[in-house]
Amino acid sequence: MVRPTIKRYRWYDQRIGVLMTITSNTSARRLTGRRVLVPGGTGGVGAGVVRKFLEAGADVVVPTRSDARGSQLRDELGEFGQSPLLHLPTHDYTTFTGADELGAEMTRRLGGIDDVVAPVGGWWQGRTLTEIGEADWQSAFVELATTHMALVRGLVPRMSGAGSYSVVVGQSAGFPVPGSGLVSMEQAAILMMQRVLAAENPAARIHALVLGPVSTRFVEGDPAWVTSGEVGDVAVLLSTSTVPSSIHEIGSSDDAHTLVVSLQAASDASA
């Protein structure tokens, strides 16, 4: 697959240099000064994560594949889309070189990386494992797994230790989905990557968020589904919490609420 040429490092002309008034709850500024990277932040789940970190006062970097994707995200975020805390560099992070350059540039421009939340992925279906072609294998497994590995390699060694690294996968990582087996295999590989990374970096906080069906701007879903905003609430609390590396199952909105209460209690106890 031939990848398009990607322009890089358009940080300042993509950042709106105006002040804004944040109208949110009393804990809204608790991440002031934090530097958060959200690859995949223009997607349905990612946009919810981006919004919650902006509400919390963090600088949020969302690398995009095109200026148009960045503009769409700004529109969706409303007043937060105009925040000077939102950075939208046009950058391809899907290769080892690209992810390493992204980590180096973010460190140079913002002084470091505190948190990473990686809702990188997509859905694929249509063929059994014995029917897939090489193009299916490359796009649904190899390219996505390579992107996650590239991000880990390029970002984790540069992280400050103040926050956490969270990968986002679906429940298909834990059970087979006939006709979508490549998704199950790729998600299972990313979940094992989180476990290995946590074992190799015991002082770091490396999390996995395992999601059930998610309500996003693309899919309204059932009221019981977890929302992208609830995923963002969990990600923000994991950033501020001292909870060690863990796998967090968020199969529903109720699961998200229970986890938020638990993380908030842990945070209050350690304060």
Side-chain angles (χ1 to χ4, degrees):
M1 177 179 179
V2 178
R3 297 185 182 278
T5 300
I6 302 296
K7 298 174 289 182
R8 291 179 174 154
Y9 310 142
R10 298 187 61 189
W11 293 64
Y12 294 131
D13 60 350
Q14 287 288 324
R15 177 175 173 174
I16 303 297
V18 297
L19 295 176
M20 65 176 293
T21 300
I22 303 295
T23 55
S24 189
N25 57 46
T26 56
S27 62
R29 307 302 296 179
R30 65 186 179 276
L31 288 184
T32 299
R34 282 290 186 92
R35 300 151 301 184
V36 181
L37 177 63
V38 188
T42 60
V45 174
V49 172
V50 171
R51 178 185 294 276
K52 291 298 182 175
F53 273 104
L54 288 171
E55 287 180 0
D59 270 275
V60 183
V61 176
V62 184
T64 70
R65 299 297 298 271
S66 68
D67 291 351
R69 292 293 295 274
S71 295
Q72 290 170 3
L73 179 62
R74 285 198 188 280
D75 290 343
E76 180 190 347
L77 293 173
E79 64 171 335
F80 290 102
Q82 306 308 309
S83 171
L85 299 175
L86 177 61
H87 309 256
L88 295 170
T90 307
H91 186 101
D92 183 5
Y93 53 82
T94 62
T95 66
F96 278 28
T97 298
D100 189 64
E101 290 176 350
L102 176 63
E105 189 69 5
M106 182 170 172
T107 299
R108 185 177 76 82
R109 290 186 179 270
L110 297 185
I113 305 169
D114 298 312
D115 294 274
V116 178
V117 183
V120 175
W123 188 251
W124 177 94
Q125 63 183 10
R127 296 182 178 88
T128 66
L129 293 183
T130 57
E131 295 171 338
I132 65 167
E134 187 169 350
D136 299 322
W137 174 250
Q138 288 293 324
S139 63
F141 187 94
V142 174
E143 291 181 7
L144 289 176
T146 298
T147 297
H148 276 283
M149 190 64 249
L151 290 168
V152 162
R153 178 180 176 274
L155 303 177
V156 170
R158 292 184 166 96
M159 292 182 68
S160 67
S164 62
Y165 191 109
S166 296
V167 298
V168 181
V169 300
Q171 289 180 326
S172 58
F175 63 86
V177 181
S180 298
L182 291 182
V183 175
S184 293
M185 292 167 63
E186 183 267 335
Q187 297 279 275
I190 301 311
L191 199 54
M192 179 54 71
M193 182 192 74
Q194 178 269 337
R195 295 175 61 188
V196 173
L197 191 61
E200 292 177 343
N201 298 271
R205 291 185 288 120
I206 312 294
H207 300 289
L209 308 184
V210 183
L211 308 182
V214 183
S215 292
T216 70
R217 70 184 189 275
F218 302 119
V219 181
E220 183 175 350
D222 186 277
W225 289 10
V226 63
T227 68
S228 60
E230 289 169 336
V231 177
D233 287 333
V234 170
V236 168
L237 283 168
L238 286 174
S239 169
T240 59
S241 171
T242 58
V243 172
S245 298
S246 306
I247 297 174
H248 305 276
E249 298 279 351
I250 312 175
S252 67
S253 181
D254 285 346
D255 289 345
H257 176 72
T258 299
L259 182 55
V260 164
V261 170
S262 175
L263 290 172
Q264 188 63 66
S267 178
D268 291 344
S270 63

